[in-house]
Amino acid sequence: MKKIYFVRHGESEGNFLRIHQSKNTPLTEVGQSQAKIVALRFSKIQVASIIASPCLRAQQTAQAIADKNDLKIEINDLFTEKKGPSELIGISQQSEQSKQIRKKLGERLFEQDGNWRYSDEETIAEFAKRAEDALKFLSQRTEKNLAVVCHALILRMIIAKILNPTGNLKNLYDIYENFELNNTSISVVSYDDEKQTWKINCINDYSHLG
């Protein structure tokens, strides 16, 4: 049996300003403080290693945990955030352009078996497949306790895949849309190597923030 401790990154500038983020969006001062606080929790959890998304905000969060607990960070693209259309990067989520693009994405999300594409974004089919690949990757790790620092959307899809491993895209998306994850929240899942099954232990624990 192994446990995976998923951590959403701390508050980023994009979260605070409510803009569509790039790979290089950093943490705010609040986010940096949150990262230090969650790092203290891992002095008691004692994971063997940390895997992090390549996005700066996730790496900054992971680095705070690594520094506090003398751990090394492994970067893995499987845990990066869902890629939206490049046209959205840097603009307000409340802008008319953002609203129009997201409306069209929502209307056509499941067309072409989930492979319809507005421009250069990751399709819902690709996104679900990446979550599945992420779980397969984690199931093959030898560590008994492992931390993964990632993002809200990819983590929500990973959890949806655990809850409904054989579901179609519409069923997965219905689960994916129905919960939220706070900055630096911890969600814990376990994998039974003998039964080859996943179980969710907890979702969105951010009690360390008070």
Side-chain angles (χ1 to χ4, degrees), residues 44-108:
K44 297 180 180 179
I45 296 173
Q46 296 183 337
V47 295
S49 54
I50 303 174
I51 298 172
S53 153
C55 295
L56 178 58
R57 54 195 182 275
Q59 290 191 42
Q60 288 178 315
T61 305
Q63 193 63 58
I65 298 170
D67 289 346
K68 185 68 178 177
N69 298 283
D70 194 26
L71 295 166
K72 292 184 178 180
I73 300 172
E74 176 184 328
I75 306 301
N76 193 303
D77 286 339
L78 286 171
F79 303 99
T80 196
E81 186 57 294
K82 186 179 189 298
K83 184 181 184 296
S86 295
E87 299 95 313
L88 291 177
I89 293 177
I91 71 173
S92 169
Q93 295 174 11
Q94 303 304 313
S95 69
E96 194 58 35
Q97 181 183 2
S98 173
K99 290 177 181 178
Q100 289 179 1
I101 291 176
R102 287 186 287 126
K103 183 175 184 291
K104 181 165 285 190
L105 287 168
E107 290 171 345
R108 306 191 65 179

Side-chain angles (χ1 to χ4, degrees), residues 155-167:
L155 180 49
R156 282 163 52 188
M157 183 55 76
I158 286 171
I159 290 170
K161 289 293 291 186
I162 291 175
L163 290 172
N164 195 357
T166 59

Side-chain angles (χ1 to χ4, degrees), residues 7 37 40 52 64 68 80 98 101 108-109 126 136 139 175:
V7 182
I37 293 169
L40 290 173
K68 185 68 178 177
T80 196
S98 173
I101 291 176
R108 306 191 65 179
L109 190 64
E126 291 170 339
K136 182 177 180 181
S139 73
I175 297 171

Side-chain angles (χ1 to χ4, degrees), residues 23 81 85 106 120 155 166 183 196 200 210:
K23 181 178 178 179
E81 186 57 294
D120 62 345
L155 180 49
T166 59
N183 291 115
Q196 297 184 352
I200 294 175

Side-chain angles (χ1 to χ4, degrees), residues 195-208:
K195 296 181 180 178
Q196 297 184 352
T197 56
W198 288 96
K199 180 181 292 185
I200 294 175
N201 301 96
C202 77
I203 298 176
N204 199 37
D205 176 5
Y206 56 101
S207 57
H208 48 276

